[in-house]
Amino acid sequence: MQLWHEQSHRYHTEMLDFKKLTAEAMDGLRNEHSVLFKDLEGAAVRVDRMEREMDYVEAQTSPRACANKADKVVEQGAWGLESRGEEEQEEDWEELHSRVSDCVEIISGIRSVKILKRVGSPKGMWTRDPRSSKVYVFNETSGDSLYQFNSVRDFSRSPGVTGSRQIRLPSEWSGTGSAVYNGYLYYIQQAADMDIEVVKYDLLSGSVTDIAMFPVESHATVYSLNPETVADLAADDEGLWLLYANSDSEPNINLAKMDPATLDIEQIWDTRCPRENAEAAFVVCGTVYVVYNTRLASRSRVQCLFDVNDMVISQEAPLIYFPRRYGAHASLKYNPEEKQLYGWDDGYQIIYRLTMKRKLLV
């Protein structure tokens, strides 16, 4: 019994010493974790400050690459088609079509950024018809009205939406997935059932010319970070496209090529680009660029590409980061004539000028 007591006392003493050492080690780990956390917070602040300084320098120093007529859109309002006669416009348009009929370009980077103004709600969409100088503004994520400006310059100089022409549609548009293409507005109208309705509206005559029903299994959001957008219409050098999700259980974004005249579906692809953490997408030369972010808005980036012509190889696909701005993109619309993106970020209207390179033929 005495031996047992002695061993028990020794084990108890060793256990107390071990608990003391463990407690000291845990305190040290907590202190080190606290120091590391503070260091990480400081590093995040410095990175954020550096990004803001880079954005400021980028905004203040306009490189010579932006000195041509097409780049001075906001400063001069000098759109090439705006100051020419109709005969020259038609000639230029035919020349443009012949130039992009064999479209083999891919984005290589963001050339310059211009923050135009802030008007409207945190989410919305704005775009320009490639064939005219007119700009169209869709405030919020649903409504039956949009605003038309004669040019980007007029829009940038107007207080809010004053000076615009308000266009009232016969039905409500839903989400930030509308597109303007060759004088027509294409917008998404949610049907009572599970279908997606694409409406074609003639901006000149002010009438609906066609409506197409696109059957899906459920009204799944195409981008998880913008749940208001059930489907997204995109226009590029090759025509009209529809980005959508067939159902909530489907992980990837689907792409459909549409006939802009009849709204018929010509072909459908699985882009293999996940919907999760996607905030927007756009199409350039038949290549889909999906932009991703985080739940707590951070820096947007193009992280997934899909080329319908299988001309983009993985080694060629660029990882493009957008400059850190205010929140996350509610929409990104590509203009093939200017090679620019029209972005809506937390109520700010932004123009991204792109640099291009030829696709590698494989």
Side-chain angles (χ1 to χ4, degrees):
M1 289 292 294
Q2 184 178 358
L3 179 62
W4 181 83
H5 280 299
E6 289 176 354
Q7 290 179 346
S8 176
H9 180 71
R10 186 173 67 253
Y11 292 152
H12 181 68
T13 303
E14 291 176 354
M15 180 64 71
L16 290 177
D17 293 340
F18 178 74
K19 287 178 66 177
K20 183 178 178 181
L21 291 174
T22 304
E24 291 175 352
M26 290 297 294
D27 289 340
L29 289 174
R30 275 193 291 267
N31 291 334
E32 291 178 4
H33 178 269
S34 178
V35 171
L36 179 62
F37 185 75
K38 290 180 180 179
D39 290 342
L40 288 174
E41 281 187 329
V45 170
R46 289 192 292 273
V47 169
D48 185 69
R49 185 185 298 117
M50 182 182 67
E51 286 185 342
R52 291 179 183 276
E53 290 175 353
M54 289 176 64
D55 291 345
Y56 174 79
V57 171
E58 186 180 61
Q60 293 298 314
T61 57
S62 180
R64 285 192 298 272
C66 299
N68 58 43
K69 187 176 183 181
D71 287 330
K72 290 189 175 179
V73 170
V74 178
E75 292 85 347
Q76 299 179 359
W79 298 98
L81 300 178
E82 193 175 35
S83 59
R84 302 176 183 173
E86 294 202 3
E87 183 177 346
E88 290 182 349
Q89 288 186 22
E90 293 299 325
E91 290 176 1
D92 285 351
W93 187 246
E94 293 300 325
E95 181 184 349
L96 174 65
H97 269 290
S98 65
R99 193 168 65 248
V100 301
S101 58
D102 186 22
C103 187
V104 291
E105 288 186 317
I106 186 174
I107 297 174
S108 59
I110 296 175
R111 178 178 180 179
S112 61
V113 182
K114 182 168 288 296
I115 305 170
L116 219 65
K117 61 189 298 184
R118 186 179 192 183
V119 59
S121 64
K123 291 190 176 183
M125 188 274 287
W126 76 301
T127 188
R128 173 184 171 239
D129 189 339
R131 198 170 182 177
S132 77
S133 62
K134 290 183 171 57
V135 174
Y136 300 89
V137 179
F138 296 73
N139 188 26
E140 299 182 347
T141 56
S142 63
D144 62 356
S145 297
L146 63 144
Y147 303 94
Q148 180 191 79
F149 292 85
N150 289 329
S151 65
V152 172
R153 182 183 184 185
D154 288 349
F155 174 55
S156 65
R157 292 184 172 183
S158 68
V161 293
T162 59
S164 66
R165 173 196 168 208
Q166 185 175 8
I167 300 175
R168 191 171 294 277
L169 302 174
S171 59
E172 284 199 2
W173 45 270
S174 175
T176 60
S178 302
V180 179
Y181 184 71
N182 287 355
Y184 291 93
L185 164 66
Y186 300 84
Y187 65 94
I188 304 298
Q189 172 183 278
Q190 280 197 12
D193 52 14
M194 291 295 108
D195 295 336
I196 296 173
E197 289 187 3
V198 179
V199 180
K200 181 181 179 181
Y201 180 84
D202 190 331
L203 291 164
L204 184 61
S205 66
S207 60
V208 173
T209 61
D210 210 343
I211 298 178
M213 304 290 292
F214 195 77
V216 291
E217 294 180 12
S218 62
H219 274 165
T221 176
V222 63
Y223 313 124
S224 69
L225 298 185
N226 280 314
E228 302 86 0
T229 302
V230 174
D232 192 4
L233 291 158
D236 74 340
D237 319 77
E238 299 187 356
L240 189 66
W241 309 84
L242 177 70
L243 296 149
Y244 70 100
N246 193 48
S247 67
D248 281 320
S249 60
E250 192 167 319
N252 297 336
I253 297 171
N254 292 327
L255 175 71
K257 181 69 168 64
M258 302 185 73
D259 185 335
T262 63
L263 298 185
D264 292 337
I265 300 297
E266 299 176 352
Q267 195 170 348
I268 294 176
W269 298 267
D270 178 355
T271 66
R272 300 186 293 276
C273 292
R275 297 159 51 213
E276 186 66 26
N277 293 328
E279 67 175 16
F282 54 94
V283 184
V284 179
C285 284
T287 301
V288 180
Y289 298 76
V290 184
V291 180
Y292 293 86
N293 209 310
T294 56
R295 292 290 175 183
L296 296 176
S298 180
R299 196 173 182 188
S300 305
R301 63 201 180 277
V302 174
Q303 195 169 305
C304 185
L305 274 72
F306 175 77
D307 183 20
V308 299
N309 299 311
D310 293 326
M311 293 174 62
V312 177
I313 61 176
S314 58
Q315 291 85 351
E316 182 192 12
L319 179 60
I320 300 172
Y321 279 85
F322 289 82
R324 176 72 180 272
R325 293 302 175 190
Y326 305 100
H329 295 106
S331 62
L332 286 166
K333 297 296 174 179
Y334 175 67
N335 187 298
E337 182 191 351
E338 307 160 324
K339 293 179 173 42
Q340 293 184 159
L341 287 176
Y342 288 75
W344 190 292
D345 182 353
D346 196 27
Y348 289 88
Q349 289 72 50
I350 302 174
I351 294 177
Y352 297 101
R353 184 77 172 167
L354 305 174
T355 55
M356 315 294 286
K357 65 178 182 179
R358 289 182 64 85
K359 296 178 182 179
L360 298 178
L361 302 180
V362 294

